[in-house]
């Protein structure tokens, strides 16, 4: 296949040659099962001989199109579309580790992933080890947290919700040294900004609910890796636990991806402008945005990301009380969890997305009570700043 540039792959990328009607937009394959040509054909497919579809929990053309597209954009061999980002995380973790094993994750990750690791996997005697964000930039400290029972390393960069940046190459070198895979949750960056596999990671996970889909109308996930790993995920977990994506959702996410380049450019440019404005705002005590030179991960982010993303965290003077007022006073920004949508979304991690952490755990993860997270949408950034400004002024005057 001809190698195109990134923006062209985002729009074109992969085609399904077996669809003969020449549609510009492929149909949604809303089918649970497939007609075998004869008994021998069905038996061959079940035995893994030849290619074809068997049953939509195992594979479906609409899912295959999405999988091939995201694999192409991430520079991976293949992919598995899953019902949600959480089922992508769970499928990978449950495949790679078994009873008596451990794995190492940074403390600061999405609250749902943290709950899966901290509360649920231990029930299967799969034991998490968490490394603090400050130690997670020190190779010796990372190495010291692993042993012969460590089955994988796991990180988010930029991390939810603090936008911490970890050096993917550093973690990948440690994983390679121990002959274990590195999983990177690339949800906050999207493959438009960051391709962890090219930096040495082995598995990329997305909540496709976010930037990949980009329109706030779907929940979905995806795992990208080589064929060996994806086959293991399918055989050891996915096919029989069954967290499969619906063909309709796969179609919507494939549609969403076509505009990934233009959306990410605007998310990033607006976020940079808003982060700089927030940093200079008299009512703001701190801003976390990897594009700011004040961010400790700015240099690493500049090396491994093409731009700095559309997510900002900030704290207003007066802590959580003032922060709550801001969230209750915005008019344009929408008070909601999730991220990566057309609309700007504002939320409070300590009581919402990261309520799965205890107060002490949040402290270790660097998630302060006053932290507000903003997913910068596609509106005119001047309107977003005016909205935040009126909310902060009103909150400060009360
Ligand atoms: N990974 C990251 C980095 C996430 O932010 C999320 C969801 C997931 C995985 C799980 O994906 P899901 O199952 O929701 O598709 N993050 C959310 C957030 O920050 N607000 O609401 C959901």
């Amino acid at each position: 296949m001809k190698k195109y540039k990134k923006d062209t792959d985002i729009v074109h990328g992969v085609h399904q040659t077996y669809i003969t009607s020449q549609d510009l937009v492929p149909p949604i394959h809303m089918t649970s099962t497939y007609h075998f040509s004869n008994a021998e054909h069905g038996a061959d497919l079940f035995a893994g001989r030849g290619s074809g579809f068997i049953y939509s929990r195992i594979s479906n053309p609409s899912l295959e199109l999405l999988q091939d597209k995201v694999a192409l954009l991430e520079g991976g061999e293949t992919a598995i579309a899953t019902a949600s980002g959480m089922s992508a995380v769970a499928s990978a973790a449950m495949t790679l580790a078994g009873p008596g094993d451990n794995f190492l994750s940074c403390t600061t990750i999405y609250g749902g992933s943290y709950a899966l690791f901290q509360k649920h996997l231990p029930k299967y005697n799969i034991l998490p080890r968490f490394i603090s964000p400050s130690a997670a930039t020190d190779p010796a400290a990372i190495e010291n947290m692993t042993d012969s029972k460590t089955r994988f390393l796991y990180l988010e960069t930029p991390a939810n919700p603090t936008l911490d940046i970890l050096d993917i190459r550093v973690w990948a070198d440690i994983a390679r040294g121990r002959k274990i895979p590195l999983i990177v949750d690339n949800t906050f960056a999207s493959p438009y900004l960051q391709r962890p596999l090219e930096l040495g990671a082995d598995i990329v996970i997305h909540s496709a609910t976010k930037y990949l889909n980009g329109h706030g109308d779907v929940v979905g996930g995806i795992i990208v890796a080589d064929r060996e790993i994806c086959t293991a995920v399918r055989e050891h977990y996915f096919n029989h636990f069954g967290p499969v994506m619906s063909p309709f959702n796969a179609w919507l996410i494939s549609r969403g991806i076509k505009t990934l380049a233009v959306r990410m450019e605007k998310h990033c440019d607006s976020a940079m402008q808003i982060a700089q404005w927030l940093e200079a705002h008299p009512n703001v005590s701190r801003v976390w945005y990897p594009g700011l030179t004040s961010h400790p991960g700015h240099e690493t982010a500049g090396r491994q990301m093409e731009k700095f993303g559309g997510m900002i965290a900030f704290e207003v003077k007066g802590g959580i009380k003032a922060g709550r007022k801001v969230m209750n006073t915005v008019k344009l920004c929408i008070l909601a969890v999730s991220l990566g949508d057309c609309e700007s979304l504002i939320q409070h991690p300590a009581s919402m997305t990261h309520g799965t952490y205890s107060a002490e755990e949040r402290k270790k993860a660097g998630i302060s009570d006053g932290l507000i997270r903003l997913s910068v949408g596609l509106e005119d950034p001047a309107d977003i700043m005016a909205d935040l400004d009126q909310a902060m002024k009103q909150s400060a005057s009360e």
Side-chain angles (χ1 to χ4, degrees):
M1 196 168 69
K2 182 172 176 348
K3 184 86 187 98
Y4 289 107
K5 296 200 189 314
K6 186 171 66 172
D7 289 16
T8 310
D9 276 343
I10 282 171
V11 178
H12 292 270
V14 291
H15 294 278
Q16 288 177 316
T17 49
Y18 52 81
I19 298 170
T20 54
S21 53
Q22 311 256 52
D23 314 47
L24 171 66
V25 176
I28 313 173
H29 290 263
M30 293 304 284
T31 183
S32 48
T33 196
Y34 304 84
H35 196 158
F36 303 133
S37 316
N38 51 42
E40 290 72 23
H41 177 224
D44 278 347
L45 292 181
F46 267 86
R49 291 186 293 269
S51 61
F53 295 98
I54 295 177
Y55 183 62
S56 282
R57 176 160 38 75
I58 313 293
S59 56
N60 171 287
S62 296
L63 271 66
E64 204 169 72
L65 183 75
L66 172 65
Q67 289 163 177
D68 290 350
K69 182 65 151 292
V70 181
L72 174 75
L73 300 185
E74 287 286 3
E77 231 169 53
T78 186
I80 306 172
T82 60
S84 63
M86 281 316 307
S87 55
V89 180
S91 301
M94 292 290 280
T95 301
L96 296 172
D101 293 336
N102 68 66
F103 62 96
L104 179 66
S105 166
C106 186
T107 318
T108 316
I109 53 175
Y110 167 56
S113 305
Y114 185 77
L116 172 73
F117 293 170
Q118 204 259 347
K119 293 192 176 75
H120 303 298
L121 292 185
K123 286 189 220 155
Y124 304 91
N125 199 18
I126 298 170
L127 304 172
R129 293 177 174 189
F130 292 108
I131 185 163
S132 70
S134 55
T137 56
D138 171 5
I142 304 165
E143 188 86 52
N144 280 343
M145 295 279 288
T146 64
D147 62 22
S148 63
K149 291 275 188 192
T150 306
R151 294 290 175 247
F152 65 90
L153 307 183
Y154 186 95
L155 66 87
E156 282 180 17
T157 183
N160 190 351
T162 53
L163 289 313
D164 285 340
I165 299 292
L166 292 178
D167 192 325
I168 296 172
R169 279 188 203 279
V170 167
W171 279 65
D173 283 348
I174 294 166
R176 202 172 306 113
R178 296 213 71 98
K179 295 191 168 46
I180 53 174
L182 168 64
I183 305 178
V184 175
D185 184 329
N186 202 27
T187 300
F188 268 41
S190 91
Y192 185 71
L193 300 178
Q194 175 172 275
R195 279 166 298 285
L197 300 177
E198 289 173 3
L199 301 169
D202 303 282
I203 302 174
V204 164
I205 279 174
H206 280 277
S207 167
T209 317
K210 314 296 176 349
Y211 288 109
L212 288 179
N213 180 57
H215 292 76
D217 46 15
V218 156
V219 169
I222 199 148
I223 302 168
V224 186
D226 64 19
R227 272 182 220 293
E228 194 182 337
I229 291 173
C230 282
T231 301
V233 171
R234 287 190 183 280
E235 288 179 356
H236 295 290
Y237 184 85
F238 186 81
N239 285 354
H240 300 123
F241 280 75
V244 72
M245 179 185 281
S246 120
F248 183 47
N249 286 358
W251 184 87
L252 280 172
I253 298 166
S254 293
R255 182 173 76 153
I257 287 176
K258 287 190 190 181
T259 56
L260 183 68
V262 282
R263 285 188 286 108
M264 291 315 295
E265 286 291 336
K266 171 116 181 169
H267 284 303
C268 292
D269 292 350
S270 296
M272 180 66 106
Q273 205 181 326
I274 294 167
Q276 284 168 342
W277 171 80
L278 280 171
E279 202 170 42
H281 197 284
N283 297 111
V284 173
S285 53
R286 189 164 166 198
V287 183
W288 291 259
Y289 182 66
L292 296 175
T293 49
S294 59
H295 189 289
H298 176 67
E299 224 178 279
T300 309
R303 247 185 290 122
Q304 67 189 17
M305 298 174 76
E306 292 195 15
K307 286 192 169 187
F308 299 101
M311 298 298 295
I312 301 174
F314 65 103
E315 235 180 75
V316 289
K317 288 181 184 159
I320 179 55
K321 223 167 138 224
R324 277 228 168 88
K325 281 189 204 151
V326 170
M327 286 181 281
N328 286 335
T329 317
V330 286
K331 295 191 172 87
L332 177 66
C333 298
I334 293 168
L335 180 56
V337 295
S338 204
L339 58 113
D341 292 339
C342 301
E343 297 81 2
S344 290
L345 306 177
I346 195 164
Q347 66 108 10
H348 179 230
S351 66
M352 296 175 188
T353 50
H354 293 73
T356 50
Y357 288 66
S358 68
E360 197 180 316
E361 289 167 336
R362 278 200 301 278
K363 205 166 169 206
K364 281 190 196 150
I367 306 166
S368 67
D369 282 348
L371 191 97
I372 297 173
R373 194 189 73 183
L374 177 69
S375 170
V376 175
L378 301 180
E379 306 93 340
D380 190 309
D383 284 330
I384 303 171
M385 289 185 282
D387 187 35
L388 293 170
D389 192 46
Q390 67 78 25
M392 287 193 286
K393 283 193 176 130
Q394 195 166 320
S395 150
S397 71
E398 278 176 18

